[in-house]
Amino acid sequence: MDYKFSDRIASLQPSAIREILKATASPEVIPFAAGNPAPEAFPVDAVREIGANILMHKATQALQYGITEGYAPLREFVLKYMAQKHKVGKADDDIIITSGATQVMDITSKSFLNEGDTVICENPSFIGSLNCFRSYNAKLVGVEVEKDGMNMEKLEEVLKKEKKAKFIYTIPNFQNPSGATMSLEKRKKMYELACKYDVLILEDNPYGDLRVEGKYIPSIKSFDTDGRVIYAGSFSKILAPGIRVGLAIANKKIISKLTVAKQTADTHTPMFSQMLVYQWLNEYDFEGHIRKIQDIYRNKLELMCSLIDSELGDFVSYHKPQGGLFVWCELPEKVDMLEFVRVAVENKVAVVPGSAFMVDEKEKTQCIRLNFSTPTDEKIKQGMKILGQVKKQF
Amino acid sequence: MDYKFSDRIASLQPSAIREILKATASPEVIPFAAGNPAPEAFPVDAVREIGANILMHKATQALQYGITEGYAPLREFVLKYMAQKHKVGKADDDIIITSGATQVMDITSKSFLNEGDTVICENPSFIGSLNCFRSYNAKLVGVEVEKDGMNMEKLEEVLKKEKKAKFIYTIPNFQNPSGATMSLEKRKKMYELACKYDVLILEDNPYGDLRVEGKYIPSIKSFDTDGRVIYAGSFSKILAPGIRVGLAIANKKIISKLTVAKQTADTHTPMFSQMLVYQWLNEYDFEGHIRKIQDIYRNKLELMCSLIDSELGDFVSYHKPQGGLFVWCELPEKVDMLEFVRVAVENKVAVVPGSAFMVDEKEKTQCIRLNFSTPTDEKIKQGMKILGQVKKQF
């Protein structure tokens, strides 16, 4: 049979970049291309205790259908915590528990995007979210990310022009892949522009708790008096990604539509995962655990940056991020970036070519993304040494 | 802010029917409207053992990211089992593990439906799937379900007319809500028609293992030589729905697109859920457990049918289903069906008005759906007595 796939999915063809990345799945390859948390960052003992407790005392509830909005104690806890700690969530706001933050992008797209509507994205941005927007046949318009976040003049130009813009997609903290953190001024300006041009902001904050230096900056959602910011959070980076628990906090009317969209997508997020997160938040020192993770990642980031300096020296330029999982390195103009990535993979070091994150994959970029959370310290040292060798061929 | 939701989601407005159903959430209401498995059907002891085992020996794997296609041992086990036991899955086929069977409908829709494409559905059909197709702005065309499945003459008429038909959606075993089981002849005919008019079949089989009487009938996928059947399975009814594990078996090219679609939806299904299902299948007598569940539901079905006969007598007509979770009852022509439902709810018995399942909710139906798996035997007796009283008002 000759399959007639939808236009939206046909547009997500495997690209040359993804073909390069396929070669990186092998275990002997050093994984600077991944985005997995360090296994030592998982609170394994707590999970064992909580898991045993749920299965002993609440097995039936963990096995039965739940409601689409999510496990009520978890929703209440997170809503209260986010309001008190981060000023995220006002009286008119509500929360939905999702199957990872990825699902926030999916159900927000389903709820707001007609075909051909525009999503304004940081350029570069997280490929998973870009592909999600593409899968709704949205038009993606990229705005350059600077060291302190999106260029606001360019954002306003785009907003003036794009009459069908529905939302601005931003990762304000330790952006994936650029590592950039948006300044307070730019966050305020983005909110002001969203009000002026009457669009929503989809604020994706998976890495917010992974700050390892610099000063806390409040999220855009904390200024939101209009109900125009949809805040996406995740437990993937602070607890564990394999449980797939994320959340959205937004105006009640929006949450009610996201709930309808989630109902058509997966009915609800698994009960065991939700109950696990709730008990962890409620009964364990999760803030202490977050500090522990920050220490792990601070050390790994320092290690990687010192090795970038010693092994790659003037060959690359980068801004050291204040947190997150990635360092975004720019190669010299004369180097063929894709060729550099290919040779690195050939030498068993997987890095992601920057073009994977461009709103238009054909757009030129000299950057590569290096992840420091997945490899062990030993592997970071080995991998950076190899990249130092690869450099000499260019 | 005045929200501009997408057309697709705006069309899923809460209806009068759903407003009636809202009143049924209260715990003192007898739940004939739900579709939850009986809690005594959960293999709680096995889940406790397996859960402890995973958390003790494979915690890191259960907490880390997995691949989108699903946990490899589970995929292999199910693919082999389905081929051997049900002749589902040929050499060209592959499997993806999904977040409940609901997600099969979602990612199949995303992968195949352009806006305005047609989905041919049994009429009535499962509201969750209908809403999923609606959420992609598909045109739904219903074909009447008879006691032995879809009317094949009408199906062919529709296929002749609908040039943009992409797939036929069917629940061949103990259909929700009608309880109908499609005959072998009709299954073959449906496959033949799908070939003749070059459309896919989305075969949804959540209840297949819940047969309590009559002879096993092979699934449509077992005749599939063309790769035109997408088979959706689920562990919700035989293990537990709260873990949200389903699957699709289809041609490799289709599974590869479904994988891309799932990547944009939730990255992967939680690892703990998948590992739990795998160990249950691999190490426990799951076929013995299925027989135990069949015994539970056989008794509940018998109880409900005998009470329909004694309490409602000539007032309703129904075909006793050979399995599944529901009895579909038709009220006399002169009775206002929605008013009957309203009065039943007022008297603390929740039943679902048949119109909720119609492809066009405004289409007239005299039917109501009764679920016998959720209420205890005691509640079935109480609830049917109350319906017997309600009847007298009509």
Side-chain angles (χ1 to χ4, degrees), chain A residues 3 6-8 37 48 55-56 63-65 102 106 110-111 113-114 135 227 237 242 251 266-267 271, chain B residues 3 6-8 37 48 55-56 63-65 102 106 110-111 113-114 135 227 237 242 244 251 267 271:
Chain A
Y3 302 114
S6 64
D7 301 337
R8 59 168 78 85
R48 280 185 184 136
L55 295 174
M56 195 46 64
L63 295 174
Q64 192 54 279
Y65 278 117
T102 299
D106 190 52
K110 200 181 244 195
S111 299
L113 297 178
N114 286 322
S135 80
K237 306 301 186 272
N251 181 277
D266 67 357
T267 317
M271 292 303 291
Chain B
Y3 302 114
S6 64
D7 300 337
R8 60 168 78 85
R48 280 187 184 135
L55 295 174
M56 193 47 64
L63 295 175
Q64 191 54 280
Y65 277 117
T102 299
D106 190 51
K110 201 182 242 194
S111 298
L113 298 178
N114 287 323
S135 80
K237 306 301 186 273
R244 310 303 306 130
N251 182 276
T267 316
M271 293 304 291

Side-chain angles (χ1 to χ4, degrees), chain A residues 88-115:
Chain A
V88 162
K90 306 262 184 310
D92 274 350
D93 285 333
D94 201 354
I95 187 171
I96 181 170
I97 306 298
T98 57
S99 299
T102 299
Q103 191 176 53
V104 179
M105 312 316 146
D106 190 52
I107 59 181
T108 298
S109 299
K110 200 181 244 195
S111 299
F112 284 100
L113 297 178
N114 286 322
E115 301 217 336

Side-chain angles (χ1 to χ4, degrees), chain B residues 66-227:
Chain B
I67 59 167
T68 306
E69 292 84 345
Y71 182 54
L74 176 60
R75 293 175 67 212
E76 281 159 30
F77 188 104
V78 175
L79 207 49
K80 200 168 151 190
Y81 178 83
M82 290 302 295
Q84 285 175 354
K85 175 98 179 183
H86 296 291
K87 301 201 189 317
V88 162
K90 307 262 183 309
D92 274 352
D93 285 333
D94 201 354
I95 186 171
I96 182 170
I97 306 296
T98 57
S99 299
T102 299
Q103 192 177 52
V104 179
M105 313 316 145
D106 190 51
I107 60 183
T108 299
S109 300
K110 201 182 242 194
S111 298
F112 283 101
L113 298 178
N114 287 323
E115 302 218 336
D117 280 353
T118 298
V119 177
I120 302 174
C121 306
E122 287 155 343
N123 198 19
S125 186
F126 174 47
I127 185 171
S129 297
L130 299 182
N131 279 342
C132 177
F133 307 142
R134 287 176 183 131
S135 80
Y136 286 90
N137 268 344
K139 175 184 174 187
L140 304 193
V141 178
V143 177
E144 186 192 333
V145 192
E146 297 160 328
K147 195 190 160 192
D148 61 347
M150 244 190 210
N151 179 310
M152 289 295 142
E153 288 71 40
K154 291 196 178 147
L155 173 59
E156 183 154 18
E157 278 171 33
V158 168
L159 283 164
K160 268 186 198 151
K161 224 165 49 187
E162 292 295 328
K163 299 300 173 204
K164 291 166 81 179
K166 277 285 173 71
F167 56 81
I168 304 166
Y169 173 68
T170 178
I171 305 172
N173 293 310
F174 332 121
Q175 200 245 8
N176 180 1
S178 72
T181 293
M182 206 191 308
S183 65
L184 182 61
E185 294 66 36
K186 284 196 173 179
R187 290 178 197 219
K188 288 186 172 162
K189 183 72 185 174
M190 184 182 277
Y191 183 70
E192 189 193 306
L193 289 173
C195 293
K196 182 169 169 189
Y197 293 94
D198 196 24
V199 297
L200 297 160
I201 295 173
L202 177 52
E203 181 178 28
D204 187 12
N205 191 24
Y207 314 114
D209 286 316
L210 303 186
R211 176 177 283 283
V212 301
E213 62 182 50
K215 224 182 96 199
Y216 173 83
I217 303 175
S219 72
I220 304 169
K221 180 69 183 157
S222 71
F223 324 133
D224 183 21
T225 47
D226 260 18

Side-chain angles (χ1 to χ4, degrees), chain A residues 1-14 35-39 42-44 47-48 50-52 55-66 99-100 102-106 109-115 128 131-132 135-137 166 198-200 226-228 236-237 239-244 251 253-254 257 260-273 276, chain B residues 1-14 35-39 42-44 47-48 50-52 55-66 99-100 102-106 109-115 128 131-132 135-137 166 198-200 226-228 236-237 239-244 251 253-254 257 260-273 276:
Chain A
M1 185 178 180
D2 188 24
Y3 302 114
K4 296 177 204 83
F5 295 108
S6 64
D7 301 337
R8 59 168 78 85
I9 211 79
S11 74
L12 297 179
Q13 291 295 350
N36 293 10
F42 297 149
V44 172
V47 168
R48 280 185 184 136
I50 298 167
L55 295 174
M56 195 46 64
H57 302 295
K58 294 184 171 176
T60 301
Q61 194 178 5
L63 295 174
Q64 192 54 279
Y65 278 117
S99 299
T102 299
Q103 191 176 53
V104 179
M105 312 316 146
D106 190 52
S109 299
K110 200 181 244 195
S111 299
F112 284 100
L113 297 178
N114 286 322
E115 301 217 336
N131 278 342
C132 176
S135 80
Y136 286 90
N137 268 344
K166 276 289 173 70
D198 196 23
V199 297
L200 296 160
D226 259 19
R228 69 172 69 243
S236 290
K237 306 301 186 272
L239 204 174
I243 59 172
R244 311 303 307 131
N251 181 277
K253 288 180 197 157
I254 295 178
K257 288 291 179 189
V260 172
K262 182 171 167 65
Q263 220 155 18
T264 69
D266 67 357
T267 317
H268 67 83
T269 296
M271 292 303 291
F272 181 84
S273 291
L276 179 70
Chain B
M1 184 177 181
D2 188 21
Y3 302 114
K4 297 177 204 84
F5 295 108
S6 64
D7 300 337
R8 60 168 78 85
I9 210 80
S11 74
L12 297 179
Q13 291 294 350
N36 291 11
F42 297 148
V44 172
V47 168
R48 280 187 184 135
I50 299 166
L55 295 174
M56 193 47 64
H57 302 294
K58 296 185 171 177
T60 300
Q61 194 178 6
L63 295 175
Q64 191 54 280
Y65 277 117
S99 299
T102 299
Q103 192 177 52
V104 179
M105 313 316 145
D106 190 51
S109 300
K110 201 182 242 194
S111 298
F112 283 101
L113 298 178
N114 287 323
E115 302 218 336
N131 279 342
C132 177
S135 80
Y136 286 90
N137 268 344
K166 277 285 173 71
D198 196 24
V199 297
L200 297 160
D226 260 18
R228 71 172 67 245
S236 290
K237 306 301 186 273
L239 206 174
I243 59 172
R244 310 303 306 130
N251 182 276
K253 289 181 199 158
I254 295 178
K257 287 293 179 188
V260 171
K262 181 171 167 65
Q263 222 154 19
T264 69
D266 67 357
T267 316
H268 68 84
T269 296
M271 293 304 291
F272 181 84
S273 291
L276 178 70

Side-chain angles (χ1 to χ4, degrees), chain A residues 205-222:
Chain A
N205 192 24
Y207 315 113
D209 286 314
L210 303 185
R211 177 177 283 282
V212 301
E213 61 181 51
K215 225 182 94 197
Y216 173 84
I217 304 175
S219 72
I220 305 168
K221 180 68 183 160
S222 71

